[in-house]
Amino acid sequence: MRTTHITKPHEVTRKWFVIDAEGKNLGRLSTQIAHILRGKHKPTFSPSVDTGDHVIVVNADKIVVTGRKMDQKTYVRNSGYIGARKETKLKDMLSKKPEFVLWHAVKGMLPKNNLGRKMFGKFHVYAGSEHNHQAQKPEVLEV
Protein backbone atom coordinates (compact mmCIF):
# COMPACT_ATOMS: atom_id res chain seq x y z
CA MET A 1 0.00 0.00 0.00
CA ARG A 2 1.35 3.41 -0.96
CA THR A 3 1.03 6.34 1.36
CA THR A 4 2.07 9.96 1.02
CA HIS A 5 4.58 11.13 3.58
CA ILE A 6 3.70 14.43 5.23
CA THR A 7 6.68 16.05 6.92
CA LYS A 8 6.12 16.87 10.59
CA PRO A 9 7.56 20.11 12.05
CA HIS A 10 9.89 18.22 14.42
CA GLU A 11 11.42 16.29 11.48
CA VAL A 12 12.70 19.45 9.76
CA THR A 13 16.43 20.22 9.84
CA ARG A 14 17.38 23.77 8.97
CA LYS A 15 20.58 25.12 7.42
CA TRP A 16 21.89 28.67 7.14
CA PHE A 17 22.92 30.06 3.75
CA VAL A 18 24.75 33.28 2.80
CA ILE A 19 24.08 34.79 -0.61
CA ASP A 20 26.13 37.64 -2.07
CA ALA A 21 23.74 39.88 -4.05
CA GLU A 22 26.46 41.90 -5.78
CA GLY A 23 25.70 42.10 -9.51
CA LYS A 24 22.66 39.78 -9.22
CA ASN A 25 19.31 40.54 -10.86
CA LEU A 26 16.63 41.57 -8.34
CA GLY A 27 13.78 39.38 -9.62
CA ARG A 28 15.80 36.25 -10.30
CA LEU A 29 17.55 36.42 -6.95
CA SER A 30 14.23 36.99 -5.15
CA THR A 31 12.63 33.89 -6.67
CA GLN A 32 15.56 31.71 -5.65
CA ILE A 33 15.51 33.10 -2.11
CA ALA A 34 11.75 32.50 -1.82
CA HIS A 35 12.31 28.95 -3.10
CA ILE A 36 14.83 28.26 -0.31
CA LEU A 37 12.71 29.95 2.39
CA ARG A 38 9.74 27.75 1.49
CA GLY A 39 11.87 24.60 1.45
CA LYS A 40 11.03 23.60 -2.11
CA HIS A 41 14.65 22.62 -2.72
CA LYS A 42 14.31 19.72 -0.25
CA PRO A 43 12.84 16.30 -1.01
CA THR A 44 10.88 16.54 2.25
CA PHE A 45 8.93 19.64 1.08
CA SER A 46 5.38 19.82 2.34
CA PRO A 47 3.19 22.83 1.47
CA SER A 48 1.53 22.93 4.90
CA VAL A 49 4.77 22.79 6.94
CA ASP A 50 7.61 25.30 7.11
CA THR A 51 10.52 23.17 5.84
CA GLY A 52 12.68 26.06 4.60
CA ASP A 53 16.16 27.19 5.56
CA HIS A 54 17.54 30.49 6.84
CA VAL A 55 18.88 32.89 4.20
CA ILE A 56 21.31 35.76 4.81
CA VAL A 57 21.79 38.21 1.94
CA VAL A 58 24.78 40.58 1.94
CA ASN A 59 25.60 43.46 -0.44
CA ALA A 60 21.93 44.23 -1.08
CA ASP A 61 22.93 47.75 -2.12
CA LYS A 62 24.78 46.36 -5.17
CA ILE A 63 21.79 44.59 -6.72
CA VAL A 64 20.97 45.30 -10.39
CA VAL A 65 17.77 45.56 -12.42
CA THR A 66 17.25 45.39 -16.17
CA GLY A 67 15.67 47.91 -18.50
CA ARG A 68 14.44 51.28 -17.21
CA LYS A 69 13.16 49.98 -13.87
CA MET A 70 15.47 52.29 -11.90
CA ASP A 71 13.44 55.29 -13.08
CA GLN A 72 10.04 53.70 -13.72
CA LYS A 73 9.43 51.32 -10.78
CA THR A 74 7.82 53.06 -7.81
CA TYR A 75 7.04 52.01 -4.25
CA VAL A 76 3.77 53.49 -2.96
CA ARG A 77 2.70 53.98 0.65
CA ASN A 78 -0.28 55.75 2.20
CA SER A 79 -1.00 56.77 5.79
CA GLY A 80 -4.76 56.80 5.21
CA TYR A 81 -5.15 60.57 5.29
CA ILE A 82 -6.33 62.46 2.24
CA GLY A 83 -3.41 63.46 0.03
CA ALA A 84 -0.95 61.40 2.07
CA ARG A 85 0.10 59.10 -0.79
CA LYS A 86 3.88 58.93 -1.16
CA GLU A 87 5.76 57.49 -4.12
CA THR A 88 9.44 56.57 -4.12
CA LYS A 89 11.43 55.52 -7.19
CA LEU A 90 13.55 52.37 -7.10
CA LYS A 91 16.71 54.45 -7.62
CA ASP A 92 15.96 56.53 -4.50
CA MET A 93 14.96 53.49 -2.45
CA LEU A 94 18.24 51.72 -3.29
CA SER A 95 20.21 54.73 -2.08
CA LYS A 96 18.17 55.22 1.14
CA LYS A 97 17.02 51.73 2.16
CA PRO A 98 18.62 49.04 -0.06
CA GLU A 99 17.45 46.23 2.26
CA PHE A 100 13.80 47.18 1.69
CA VAL A 101 13.96 46.54 -2.07
CA LEU A 102 14.96 42.90 -1.69
CA TRP A 103 12.77 42.50 1.42
CA HIS A 104 9.71 43.72 -0.50
CA ALA A 105 10.38 41.52 -3.54
CA VAL A 106 10.84 38.31 -1.50
CA LYS A 107 7.86 39.01 0.78
CA GLY A 108 5.60 39.26 -2.26
CA MET A 109 6.65 35.76 -3.38
CA LEU A 110 5.78 33.98 -0.13
CA PRO A 111 2.32 32.81 1.00
CA LYS A 112 0.10 35.50 2.49
CA ASN A 113 -0.79 33.68 5.73
CA ASN A 114 0.69 32.66 9.10
CA LEU A 115 2.96 30.12 7.43
CA GLY A 116 4.34 32.74 5.03
CA ARG A 117 5.07 35.12 7.91
CA LYS A 118 6.90 32.32 9.72
CA MET A 119 8.97 31.59 6.59
CA PHE A 120 9.79 35.29 6.16
CA GLY A 121 11.19 35.39 9.70
CA LYS A 122 14.13 33.29 8.47
CA PHE A 123 15.19 35.98 5.96
CA HIS A 124 17.99 38.41 6.89
CA VAL A 125 19.18 41.22 4.56
CA TYR A 126 22.22 43.47 4.97
CA ALA A 127 23.26 46.40 2.76
CA GLY A 128 26.99 45.86 3.31
CA SER A 129 29.20 42.79 3.25
CA GLU A 130 29.07 42.19 7.02
CA HIS A 131 26.46 40.19 8.93
CA ASN A 132 26.15 39.11 12.55
CA HIS A 133 25.28 35.43 12.05
CA GLN A 134 28.77 33.89 12.12
CA ALA A 135 27.81 31.73 15.12
CA GLN A 136 25.34 29.78 12.94
CA LYS A 137 28.17 28.80 10.54
CA PRO A 138 26.30 29.65 7.33
CA GLU A 139 27.26 28.03 4.03
CA VAL A 140 27.99 30.23 1.02
CA LEU A 141 25.38 29.60 -1.64
CA GLU A 142 26.05 30.49 -5.28
CA VAL A 143 22.91 31.47 -7.19
Side-chain angles (χ1 to χ4, degrees):
M1 181 174 170
R2 294 185 201 179
T3 56
T4 304
H5 176 73
I6 304 296
T7 305
K8 315 295 186 292
H10 66 274
E11 296 173 351
V12 178
T13 56
R14 299 196 196 286
K15 287 182 167 182
W16 285 75
F17 295 109
V18 174
I19 298 174
D20 187 5
E22 185 174 359
K24 301 285 193 310
N25 187 306
L26 173 64
R28 292 176 186 178
L29 180 64
S30 300
T31 55
Q32 291 168 338
I33 291 170
H35 195 79
I36 294 168
L37 288 173
R38 284 202 71 189
K40 286 188 149 191
H41 63 291
K42 296 181 178 181
T44 59
F45 171 72
S46 181
S48 61
V49 179
D50 181 14
T51 58
D53 293 325
H54 293 265
V55 177
I56 304 162
V57 178
V58 293
N59 293 324
D61 54 345
K62 296 180 181 135
I63 208 154
V64 297
V65 291
T66 58
R68 297 174 56 198
K69 292 185 194 83
M70 279 292 192
D71 299 319
Q72 292 179 342
K73 181 171 177 55
T74 59
Y75 294 95
V76 180
R77 63 189 190 282
N78 193 332
S79 67
Y81 288 100
I82 296 171
R85 182 175 188 220
K86 303 274 194 270
E87 292 185 2
T88 310
K89 300 268 186 220
L90 174 61
K91 179 173 44 175
D92 300 330
M93 194 63 83
L94 273 174
S95 63
K96 292 177 190 170
K97 294 192 272 186
E99 301 96 352
F100 175 80
V101 174
L102 197 58
W103 182 88
H104 188 267
V106 171
K107 189 172 177 87
M109 296 178 186
L110 292 175
K112 278 70 172 174
N113 54 24
N114 290 342
L115 188 61
R117 287 186 287 278
K118 190 175 176 185
M119 291 172 185
F120 193 68
K122 298 187 310 269
F123 183 51
H124 313 278
V125 188
Y126 298 96
S129 59
E130 298 297 319
H131 63 85
N132 56 0
H133 301 283
Q134 286 84 11
Q136 284 76 26
K137 299 183 180 84
E139 299 175 25
V140 176
L141 185 65
E142 290 297 322
V143 280

